[in-house]
């Protein structure tokens, strides 16, 4: 456990520093779009492109990893949507609540944290989960967020959501890295050094940005309607407890049935599912007119609790023993 905490504590400490900086006014709320823009369009794509260049294609698109993770997502989304609707959340708010219950912070936090904890070989399974969440989880929840009878069917809404996910630069960065590896192409020296510098900046800036986003949304109570603070707890519990447990159960069942899913890949999948909710979903919710405060409270609750719960999951797998 000491080894696990030695790795996880600095990552969560950077989130706390960002939260403190925003709370003290050192980083104003107006800086959030700039920070997110730097991470999303420059630093994180460079980091993922480098992992794509270093990871064999069969690990980036492992069908069993994709299948286990995708199958676990459905029950989490359904249960979160049901629980939040029963608490009186409007359809759009509940759909985004379901999204943060099933979408871990695998881009901003998961890739660097799990690589630091388990080694570079962890990048492949995490990238598989990113692809599922970008194209399947987010598309499903965005389609659910659209009010029925708005002049388009569910299929059209799902297709529109899928096209929006395809506009995310992160999957394309992974694809470029995989293409460079497949063709044996090496970046010229100065360009390679630039990509490395931007990629190295991704982890600290992304974690700091998570903290800033948490304060400017959940911390300030911005955009909160009449929902109770405890409304966030069921979705946060689904994220940190049920989601990884479902992944573990489905993975063990697949292995028992003879699926070529390695124990290491399953461990990475479970730890990815045990990550806190993706912080950038609050910005997506705001852009779609949902209650950003409700969604941000789930992200805040899962991020605070994940320091203990994620470390416990890692310790249960024997990491660092």
């Amino acid at each position: 456990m000491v080894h696990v905490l030695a790795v996880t504590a600095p990552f969560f400490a950077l989130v706390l520093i960002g939260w403190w900086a925003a709370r003290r006014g050192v980083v104003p709320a107006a800086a959030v779009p700039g920070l997110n823009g730097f991470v999303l369009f420059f630093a994180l794509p460079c980091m993922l492109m480098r992992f794509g260049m270093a990871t064999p294609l069969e690990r980036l698109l492992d069908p069993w990893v994709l299948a286990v993770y995708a199958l676990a997502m459905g029950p989490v989304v359904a249960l979160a949507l049901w629980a939040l609707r029963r608490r009186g959340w409007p359809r759009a708010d509940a759909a985004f609540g379901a999204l943060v219950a099933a979408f871990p912070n695998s881009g901003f936090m998961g890739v660097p944290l799990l690589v630091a904890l388990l080694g570079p070989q962890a990048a492949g399974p995490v990238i598989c989960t990113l692809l599922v969440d970008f194209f399947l989880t987010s598309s499903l929840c965005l389609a659910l967020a659209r009010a029925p009878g708005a002049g388009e069917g569910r299929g059209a809404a799902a297709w529109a959501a899928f096209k929006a996910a395809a506009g995310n630069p992160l999957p394309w960065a992974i694809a470029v890295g995989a293409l460079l590896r497949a063709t044996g192409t090496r970046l010229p020296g100065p360009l390679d050094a630039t990509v490395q510098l931007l990629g190295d900046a991704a982890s600290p800036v992304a974690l700091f940005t998570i903290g800033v986003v948490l304060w400017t949304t959940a911390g300030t109570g911005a955009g909160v309607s009449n929902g109770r603070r405890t409304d966030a707890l069921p979705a946060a519990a689904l994220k940190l407890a049920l989601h990884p447990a479902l992944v573990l159960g489905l993975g063990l069942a697949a292995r028992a049935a003879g699926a070529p899913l390695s124990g290491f890949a399953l461990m990475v999948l479970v730890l990815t599912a045990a990550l806190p909710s993706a912080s950038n979903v609050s910005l997506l919710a705001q852009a779609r007119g949902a209650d950003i405060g409700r969604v941000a409270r789930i992200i805040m609750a899962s991020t605070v609790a994940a320091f203990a719960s994620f470390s416990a999951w890692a310790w249960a797998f024997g990491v660092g023993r």
Side-chain angles (χ1 to χ4, degrees):
M1 179 62 82
V2 173
H3 169 75
V4 173
L5 291 176
V7 175
T8 58
F11 283 79
F12 284 91
L14 282 174
V15 176
L16 179 61
I17 291 170
W19 181 88
W20 176 86
R23 184 176 186 275
R24 299 291 296 179
V26 176
V27 178
V32 170
L35 288 169
N36 270 299
F38 172 75
V39 174
L40 184 61
F41 292 99
F42 296 95
L44 201 53
C46 288
M47 182 184 74
L48 292 176
M49 186 176 76
R50 289 173 62 198
F51 281 122
M53 294 170 63
T55 306
L57 184 60
E58 61 270 19
R59 294 183 187 173
L60 291 176
L61 295 174
D62 186 319
W64 287 104
V65 169
L66 292 167
V68 167
Y69 187 77
L71 286 173
M73 174 272 296
V76 176
V77 169
L79 282 171
L81 190 66
W82 173 80
L84 295 174
R85 290 289 281 168
R86 277 183 60 86
R87 287 175 173 256
W89 285 34
R91 174 185 294 273
D93 295 352
F96 281 105
L99 179 57
V100 293
F103 195 156
N105 212 335
S106 42
F108 279 32
M109 178 181 285
V111 174
L113 175 56
L114 289 170
V115 167
L117 194 63
L118 303 173
Q121 64 271 26
V126 183
I127 288 173
C128 283
T129 70
L130 277 169
L131 296 176
V132 171
D133 285 327
F134 286 148
F135 291 107
L136 185 59
T137 312
S138 59
S139 297
L140 172 63
C141 292
L142 285 172
L144 290 171
R146 297 195 177 212
E152 62 177 352
R154 288 291 182 201
W159 175 244
F162 180 85
K163 288 195 295 182
N168 191 309
L170 303 187
W172 296 109
I174 297 167
V176 169
L179 180 62
L180 290 174
R181 178 185 174 88
T183 58
T185 304
R186 297 180 62 87
L187 297 175
L191 179 58
D192 184 62
T194 302
V195 169
Q196 182 173 344
L197 284 171
L198 285 169
D200 290 343
S203 178
V205 178
L207 294 168
F208 182 88
T209 302
I210 292 172
V212 176
V213 170
L214 289 176
W215 170 253
T216 55
T217 53
T220 61
V224 178
S225 62
N226 295 322
R228 297 166 295 179
R229 290 186 179 274
T230 55
D231 285 353
L233 298 181
L238 289 173
K239 177 75 221 64
L240 301 179
L242 180 64
H243 193 192
L246 276 173
V247 172
L248 177 60
L250 288 169
L252 291 175
R255 283 167 57 85
L261 178 68
S262 70
F264 178 81
L266 178 57
M267 176 177 63
V268 175
L269 282 182
V270 173
L271 293 181
T272 301
L275 290 165
S277 303
S279 59
N280 59 338
V281 174
S282 62
L283 303 177
L284 181 61
Q286 184 179 41
R288 298 302 176 100
D291 188 331
I292 185 176
R294 290 182 189 266
V295 174
R297 281 175 175 169
I298 301 174
I299 299 170
M300 173 72 87
S302 69
T303 303
V304 172
F307 177 63
S309 63
F310 176 86
S311 299
W313 277 104
W315 180 81
F317 273 104
V319 177
R321 292 186 193 176

